[in-house]
């Protein structure tokens, strides 16, 4: 319980120091905080960035899958070509 009290005291001191340093009153700090929380533009930008990143990752995975398939096909053809003379004898 003592730790909780000290945590609350430290938070109040930090808030008071912030208000003293910036010269803002409690109402201005509350308005700034509510604007930061209710920033739909930021949330929309983050959503768009996440969608773009997901698309880029999906494209990379597709390209890697195609490269692996090509490598496996090439290795299979090489193995078949190498085994063909031995099968003829």
């Amino acid at each position: 319980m003592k730790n909780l009290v000290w945590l609350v005291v430290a938070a109040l001191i930090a808030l008071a120091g912030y208000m003293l340093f910036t010269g803002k009153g409690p109402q201005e700090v509350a308005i700034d905080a509510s604007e930061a929380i209710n920033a739909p533009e930021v949330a929309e930008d983050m959503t768009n960035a996440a969608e773009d990143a997901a698309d880029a990752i999906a494209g990379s995975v597709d390209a890697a899958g195609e490269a692996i398939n090509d490598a496996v096909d090439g290795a299979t053809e090489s193995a078949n070509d190498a085994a063909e003379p031995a099968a003829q004898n």
Side-chain angles (χ1 to χ4, degrees):
M1 187 69 179
K2 285 183 181 181
N3 291 339
L4 181 61
V5 171
W6 282 112
L7 184 64
V8 170
V9 170
L12 290 174
I13 291 172
L15 182 61
Y18 175 76
M19 289 189 308
L20 180 66
F21 181 71
T22 60
K24 294 181 180 181
Q27 291 177 341
E28 292 172 320
V29 171
I31 290 170
D32 290 346
S34 67
E35 287 175 357
I37 291 171
N38 296 325
E41 298 160 357
V42 173
E44 186 176 334
D45 290 344
M46 293 299 288
T47 301
N48 291 339
E51 288 173 356
D52 292 344
D55 290 342
I57 290 171
S60 296
V61 168
D62 288 343
E66 289 177 12
I68 290 170
N69 284 337
D70 291 344
V72 168
D73 289 343
T76 303
E77 287 178 15
S78 296
N80 287 339
D81 291 344
E84 198 171 293
Q88 290 175 357
N89 290 332

